[in-house]
């Protein structure tokens, strides 16, 4: 009993001490929904967190200020240097720095950790206490419980493993932060940018994902999946085989080296289910597999498997929804 | 102007096709009697370095690996692909879990970079065992260099490089100042298979071994693995007979439509 009480007291003390800075992820115009999941991960340690919005217009900072559990928002327009953010973290006395996993944050978060002289804990999917986390490795085939003994915990958060806090209801103030801007050689010069302008929901945040693999045969055939996705209000994904064959652009790739998704419904069409693909979708709530090969590994994780020719089954499914 | 030297980081990992097993006592992933290979992203980085040489854009490609004595096999593969020489940073620490921190890996590579003075460091975007993907940005920060992560194409031109990067929404092209650290994405190139004569020649190429403990880097792990567990198994699904059946199950049983 006493031991239990001491444990609880220690937890309360830890709660008071922990203060988390969330590095907001954004596309330059909007904060990503994944940032709301990072706020949930941080809420396991303390009730509120501060958010740093860097390299984005003030509209993104205003979005951050409205999110639940946000205590304060610090904003800086120009992309700051990693050293600048590191000294901001040190001055603010933060014990934790969290950011959601994205290609964007994978690019700069380790740099900030290096500037702080610590190792980042990447891709956490569970927060056990202020220094102990669970993270997947080996393409999600093993889960490691890791304890960090470092002065500051820098962690990236697997957004699909945490609920998102509400994007409304918070009323934090926005404060201008003074952080050194990045300068050459650190800061690259952007020459051009291309993005698949899609009307569909973002792949990582969609409620339904319809994915195609090598079995689709060609890029034109993906129109079938797009139509099905539109009907379900979902996004379209792909396996590496489909991307490598040039059927669809790279950013649609789901898997260990692509995006990790966990929608309510994942429909895998013509995908065999290699380890690397399963890694990116096996936490989906309901998985449907449509494949003509009854031996395909995808059927081992599918809740509902249909052994059929996709060119017949997909149009029929589309017609019956 | 061609680059004097490119340094390529390569890592020995469990082969990508192996289904890994977690030890019964939860201490970690079993590595005994498991097929090991060069990390696929490192192969791509290695291939890119060799292509730079073949295009006359670089004079020397040096492969570096941190790991146990078997990491020499990985370095020999890099030499067989076409690297000129290799540096082996020896350690008995596990490199998939708990052995060396991401920071220590970057710091060890930093020491080699300071010694070798390459114009470009190429690494894979992530290792498929640890799945951290932190080496490139951490090394770049320690060196104060530019970086380009998730490279899908690389064009070196004198003191700068244009790199097409994979982003969440598509791609972007950035121009970076050299020296820089670049991490290879899957679509940067298709690595070659070393031919037998090249495998034989690789045996004679220089391979220098340096004890990790001698490089002045604190190797004590600060991220300790307390336990490793397999992920929760999904409960077995059912095979449906028809599309009607599927629609019915999705509507009434799973309630996702």
């Amino acid at each position: 009993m006493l031991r239990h009480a001491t444990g609880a007291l220690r937890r309360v003390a830890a709660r008071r001490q922990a203060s988390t800075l969330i590095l907001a992820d954004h596309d330059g115009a909007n904060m990503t929904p994944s940032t709301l999941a990072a706020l949930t991960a941080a809420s396991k340690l303390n009730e509120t967190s501060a958010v740093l919005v860097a390299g984005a217009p003030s509209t993104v900072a205003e979005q951050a200020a409205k999110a639940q559990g946000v205590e304060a928002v610090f904003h800086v327009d120009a992309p700051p240097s990693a050293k600048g953010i590191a000294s901001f973290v040190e001055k603010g006395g933060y014990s934790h720095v969290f950011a959601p996993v994205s290609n964007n944050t994978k690019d700069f978060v380790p740099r900030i950790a290096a500037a702080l002289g610590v190792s980042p804990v990447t891709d956490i999917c569970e927060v056990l206490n202020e220094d102990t986390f669970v993270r997947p490795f080996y393409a999600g085939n093993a889960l490691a419980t890791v304890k960090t003994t470092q002065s500051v915990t820098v962690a990236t958060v697997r957004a699909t493993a945490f609920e998102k806090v509400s994007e409304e209801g918070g009323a934090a103030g926005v404060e201008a932060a003074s952080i050194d801007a990045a300068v050459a050689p650190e800061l690259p010069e952007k020459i051009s940018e291309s993005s698949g302008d899609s009307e569909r929901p973002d792949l990582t945040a969609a409620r339904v994902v319809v994915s195609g693999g090598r079995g689709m045969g060609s890029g034109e055939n993906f129109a079938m999946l797009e139509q099905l996705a539109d009907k379900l209000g979902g996004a379209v994904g792909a396996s590496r085989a489909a991307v490598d064959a040039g059927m669809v652009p790279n950013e649609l790739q789901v898997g260990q080296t692509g995006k990790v998704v966990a929608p309510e419904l994942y429909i895998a069409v013509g995908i065999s289910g290699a380890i690397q693909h399963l890694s990116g979708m096996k936490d989906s709530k309901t998985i449907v597999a449509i494949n003509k090969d009854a031996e395909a590994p995808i059927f081992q994780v599918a809740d509902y498997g249909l052994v059929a020719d996709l060119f017949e089954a997909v149009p029929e499914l589309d017609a019956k929804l | 102007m061609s680059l004097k030297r490119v340094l390529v980081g390569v890592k020995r990992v469990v082969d990508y096709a192996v289904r890994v097993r977690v030890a019964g006592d939860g201490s970690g992933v079993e590595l005994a009697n498991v097929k090991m290979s060069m990390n696929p992203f490192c192969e791509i980085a290695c291939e890119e370095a060799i292509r730079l040489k073949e295009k006359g854009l670089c004079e020397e490609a040096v492969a570096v690996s941190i790991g146990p004595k078997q990491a020499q096999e990985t370095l020999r593969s890099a030499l067989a692909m076409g690297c000129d020489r290799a540096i082996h940073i020896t350690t008995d620490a596990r490199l998939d879990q708990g052995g060396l921190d991401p920071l220590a890996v970057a710091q060890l590579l930093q020491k080699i970079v300071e010694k070798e003075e390459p114009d470009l460091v190429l690494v894979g975007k992530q290792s498929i065992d640890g799945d951290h993907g932190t080496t490139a940005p951490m090394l770049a920060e320690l060196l104060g260099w530019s970086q380009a992560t998730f490279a899908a194409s690389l064009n070196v031109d004198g003191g700068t490089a244009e790199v097409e990067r994979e982003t969440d929404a598509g791609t972007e092209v950035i121009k970076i100042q050299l020296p820089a650290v670049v991490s290879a994405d899957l679509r940067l190139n298709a690595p070659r298979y070393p031919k037998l004569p090249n495998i034989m020649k690789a045996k004679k190429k220089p391979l220098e071994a340096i004890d990790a403990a001698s490089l002045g880097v604190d190797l004590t792990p600060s991220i300790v693995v307390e336990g490793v567990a397999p992920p929760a198994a999904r409960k077995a699904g059912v095979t449906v007979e028809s599309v009607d059946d599927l629609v019915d199950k999705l509507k009434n049983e799973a309630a996702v439509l």
Side-chain angles (χ1 to χ4, degrees):
Chain A
M1 190 64 201
L2 182 67
R3 203 169 147 193
H4 179 79
T6 329
L9 275 178
R10 213 177 285 142
R11 273 198 297 280
V12 170
R15 263 172 186 272
R16 285 209 186 110
Q17 282 163 10
S19 63
T20 309
L21 180 71
I22 307 287
L23 305 173
D25 189 25
H26 58 79
D27 61 8
N30 288 294
M31 187 169 87
T32 63
S34 312
T35 307
L36 303 170
L39 276 159
T40 302
S43 74
K44 312 279 176 195
L45 300 174
N46 37 279
E47 276 161 25
T48 56
S49 302
V51 178
L52 175 63
V53 174
S58 59
T59 45
V60 178
E62 283 152 24
Q63 288 171 357
K66 282 194 209 125
Q68 217 157 46
V70 175
E71 188 179 22
V73 176
F74 299 97
H75 174 239
V76 51
D77 281 313
S81 67
K83 280 196 181 62
I85 294 183
S87 78
F88 181 83
V89 169
E90 278 165 349
K91 267 188 236 148
Y94 296 102
S95 57
H96 295 74
V97 178
F98 280 8
V101 172
S102 74
N103 266 23
N104 198 16
T105 59
K106 282 183 198 167
D107 189 61
F108 69 78
V109 172
R111 227 177 147 125
I112 294 166
L116 283 162
V118 300
S119 285
V121 187
T122 54
D123 214 9
I124 57 171
C125 59
E126 210 178 318
V127 176
L128 297 178
N129 60 45
E130 69 277 6
D131 53 19
T132 316
F133 308 90
V134 178
R135 67 177 298 271
F137 65 139
Y138 279 100
N141 287 302
L143 296 171
T145 301
V146 296
K147 187 184 170 82
T148 159
T149 56
Q150 307 179 102
S151 54
V152 183
T153 300
V154 177
T156 56
V157 176
R158 176 172 280 214
T160 55
F162 297 90
E163 297 288 323
K164 298 179 181 74
V165 300
S166 168
E167 55 187 331
E168 299 288 337
V174 177
E175 210 177 300
S178 138
I179 304 178
D180 290 341
V183 288
E186 204 190 294
L187 189 71
E189 179 193 338
K190 193 176 278 191
I191 309 277
S192 65
E193 200 170 358
S194 70
S195 59
D197 280 319
S198 169
E199 298 295 306
R200 291 182 196 91
D202 181 51
L203 186 53
T204 53
R207 199 188 71 85
V208 177
V209 174
V210 183
S211 277
R214 196 194 306 274
M216 294 304 297
S218 76
E220 289 75 54
N221 293 334
F222 265 77
M224 266 188 329
L225 303 189
E226 284 162 13
Q227 200 176 319
L228 183 60
D230 289 344
K231 192 166 258 182
L232 296 166
V236 173
S239 70
R240 183 187 164 189
V243 172
D244 280 354
M247 296 181 209
V248 288
N250 306 345
E251 64 269 18
L252 297 191
Q253 188 182 330
V254 171
Q256 182 186 20
T257 66
K259 295 195 166 91
V260 175
V261 302
E264 296 272 305
L265 174 60
Y266 188 89
I267 305 180
V269 182
I271 293 177
S272 64
I275 300 171
Q276 291 76 12
H277 184 75
L278 301 183
S279 166
M281 47 64 81
K282 67 188 165 76
D283 292 326
S284 304
K285 199 160 157 249
T286 300
I287 298 173
V288 170
I290 302 176
N291 203 306
K292 65 180 176 196
D293 176 11
E295 302 300 317
I298 191 80
F299 287 117
Q300 289 161 22
V301 300
D303 299 282
Y304 303 111
L306 177 63
V307 181
D309 183 347
L310 68 94
F311 295 103
E312 286 163 23
V314 173
E316 190 186 342
L317 178 61
D318 190 32
K320 284 177 175 158
L321 287 174
Chain B
M1 187 191 90
S2 84
L3 306 182
K4 202 158 182 298
R5 188 170 296 123
V6 174
L7 189 72
V8 188
V10 293
K11 184 178 179 183
R12 177 178 179 265
V13 299
V14 170
D15 188 83
Y16 75 96
V18 170
R19 190 164 281 277
V20 296
R21 284 208 355 246
V22 174
D25 63 0
S27 61
V29 166
E30 300 249 29
L31 295 183
N33 304 318
V34 173
K35 186 185 176 199
M36 307 289 280
S37 308
M38 190 191 291
N39 182 47
F41 296 100
C42 301
E43 280 189 310
I44 296 168
C46 201
E47 174 68 31
E48 197 65 18
I50 295 156
R51 288 186 188 188
L52 285 174
K53 262 194 70 180
E54 288 170 347
K55 284 186 220 157
L57 292 169
C58 151
E59 287 167 30
E60 190 186 30
V62 180
V64 57
S65 189
I66 305 171
K69 63 174 187 297
Q70 298 92 329
Q72 291 198 8
E73 295 161 19
T74 308
L75 286 168
R76 290 286 172 206
S77 306
L79 294 171
M81 284 174 76
C83 287
D84 298 287
R85 58 188 172 91
I87 300 167
H88 177 202
I89 304 174
T90 59
T91 172
D92 288 328
R94 275 187 83 138
L95 282 124
D96 58 336
Q97 56 169 72
L100 279 186
D101 286 338
L103 180 63
V105 169
Q107 286 170 329
L108 289 171
L109 292 175
Q110 181 193 6
K111 298 288 177 188
I112 302 302
V113 169
E114 284 165 358
K115 186 164 154 278
E116 295 286 335
E117 301 181 330
D119 305 285
L120 177 66
V121 177
L122 276 162
V123 294
K125 74 162 177 175
Q126 77 190 71
S127 58
I128 60 164
D129 52 359
D131 277 339
H132 285 287
T134 50
T135 299
M138 292 190 87
L139 177 60
E141 178 61 24
L142 294 177
L143 295 164
W145 287 8
S146 310
Q147 71 185 38
T149 51
F150 314 123
S153 80
L154 170 66
N155 288 300
V156 173
D157 181 14
T160 62
E162 270 194 17
V163 185
E164 183 184 14
R165 298 182 62 232
E166 299 207 359
T167 64
D168 283 319
T171 59
E172 65 173 13
V173 179
I174 58 170
K175 188 176 191 173
I176 50 171
Q177 302 292 320
L178 299 183
V181 182
V182 172
S183 79
D185 213 317
L186 273 177
R187 279 162 283 271
L188 182 58
N189 59 48
R192 70 192 66 190
Y193 291 104
K195 295 191 179 77
L196 186 62
N198 292 345
I199 294 171
M200 300 311 288
K201 267 186 233 157
K203 290 183 179 164
K204 296 204 180 81
K205 288 185 180 176
L207 194 158
E208 178 191 2
I210 304 172
D211 183 0
S214 73
L215 287 169
V217 170
D218 182 3
L219 303 177
T220 324
S222 53
I223 298 177
V224 181
V225 174
E226 296 200 315
V228 175
R234 285 188 78 95
K235 95 178 155 35
V238 295
T239 304
V240 295
E241 294 305 320
S242 65
V243 172
D244 286 317
D245 225 10
L246 177 61
V247 174
D248 174 65
K249 291 266 206 267
L250 290 177
K251 274 191 178 141
N252 302 317
E253 198 175 273
V256 285
L257 291 184

